[in-house]
Amino acid sequence: MAAGTVSLRYFVLGLLAQEPMSGYDIKRFLKGLNWLIGSPSGGSLYPILRALLQEDLVTVEVIPGLDKPPKKIYTITEAGRQALHTWIEQPVAPGAPLKAFVMRLLLAGSHPHTRFIANLQQRRAQVGAHYEALEQAFEARAVRTDSGVPLALDYGLALATAELAWLDLTLDRLSGTDST
Amino acid sequence: MAAGTVSLRYFVLGLLAQEPMSGYDIKRFLKGLNWLIGSPSGGSLYPILRALLQEDLVTVEVIPGLDKPPKKIYTITEAGRQALHTWIEQPVAPGAPLKAFVMRLLLAGSHPHTRFIANLQQRRAQVGAHYEALEQAFEARAVRTDSGVPLALDYGLALATAELAWLDLTLDRLSGTDST
DNA sequence: ACACTCATGTAAGCTGTTACATGATTAA
DNA sequence: TTAATCATGTAACAGCTTACATGAGTGT
């Protein structure tokens, strides 16, 4: 998977795994949490749904709306669940946009508890590595205060620190719990 | 400017504003801070340089390397500085990837102090709005604990909080200082 | 002999966007 | 009447990426 990619395709599949929906429903749902990841444009969403259908990862049921345009409700198939599962197995590409991880969080309900913990731990490792690299860079060029580099490093460190804290806290909370 | 875009084009121009470089130099420089924004592929970088050249935003000087392949050193022109300036004026698109803001930070040296402060304030406003939206969403669905939504919201809030803190602190520090 | 750094570049492809088209229903 | 919501879809293009091509020098 390319570094800058977010795989809307599997995210959509993951949403359908939680509950059957139409394309429009998905857009509305994501628009409702717009500040988190933003909702995909129709220009990408509808083609994705059609592709999923062609690969038998989902099925459609056309509901002729009363006094409304007809809806196409998509439901995930067993093959779809399997594809989703193997996708979740593989780690988020390092350097992937934040969105990619937030999507994993949003899908948390649809994969088993232990798998999700593993995802968090893997993220912790990545952010940890990121943090150390930043720190090293900071020391390496400690003298040169011109250019925005130190500022950007400081910013990166601040965000990485916060994320590490959140991950540790969340992992702690989840380890105590014993849900599904 | 589209929401998901990062405008490598102007970032490159900004780097050249700090110091004349070749395409390869840029790649090396950015590879050195790889964990911050990643370095662009040759497939995007070299075409960008050529486009900048064609628009007279930069000039080239070919340095025939001794025992090495020749280098093409690009230098920003006055028109280039102006284009860069008008680009920096306009705000980062809300919902743009983190990269976009980090790039602004890296270029901090190449734009005037007051302009940079304005950029930070503008970012503060955006993240502030983001934060409030998340908080509202949190309250709105406080009851439903199934699905990953509350977790994702919590994550978003944690990161937004940290960023706000960093922005406030940095703005405070910069307001006190009186450099160029 | 093989691979890696220096240095530039092209071609093809992926992922996503905006802008548009359609058509019916409801609210200002 | 104008616009907005519901609901789906197409076409064009932007912005990147990977993979490849070239060619010399340097290290193992």
Side-chain angles (χ1 to χ4, degrees), chain B residues 22-24 28 43 46 50 69 71-72:
Chain B
S22 70
Y24 199 80
R28 278 216 315 193
Y46 289 113
R50 201 203 288 193
K71 269 185 162 205
K72 290 171 139 188

Side-chain angles (χ1 to χ4, degrees), chain A residues 10 80-91 104:
Chain A
Y10 285 98
R81 273 180 210 283
Q82 189 136 8
L84 180 61
H85 189 255
T86 66
W87 175 71
I88 282 179
E89 293 285 311
Q90 62 187 32
R104 288 292 221 285

Side-chain angles (χ1 to χ4, degrees), chain B residues 24 72 106 152 155 172 177 179:
Chain B
Y24 199 80
K72 290 171 139 188
L106 284 171
Y155 176 78
D172 232 53
T177 316
S179 57

Side-chain angles (χ1 to χ4, degrees), chain A residues 70-87:
Chain A
K71 270 185 159 202
K72 290 171 140 190
I73 305 291
Y74 293 89
T75 306
I76 195 169
T77 63
E78 202 40 54
R81 273 180 210 283
Q82 189 136 8
L84 180 61
H85 189 255
T86 66
W87 175 71

Side-chain angles (χ1 to χ4, degrees), chain A residues 8 23 27 30 38-48:
Chain A
L8 198 50
K27 275 174 76 176
L30 292 179
S39 67
S41 62
S44 58
L45 184 53
Y46 290 114
I48 280 173

Side-chain angles (χ1 to χ4, degrees), chain A residues 22-24 28 43 46 50 69-72:
Chain A
S22 71
Y24 198 80
R28 277 215 316 193
Y46 290 114
R50 202 205 287 193
K71 270 185 159 202
K72 290 171 140 190

Side-chain angles (χ1 to χ4, degrees), chain A residues 47-70:
Chain A
I48 280 173
L49 286 171
R50 202 205 287 193
L52 292 177
L53 187 62
Q54 249 168 353
E55 294 169 51
D56 292 315
L57 303 180
V58 296
T59 56
V60 219
E61 191 188 356
V62 182
I63 308 232
L66 317 159
D67 288 0
K68 296 242 171 156

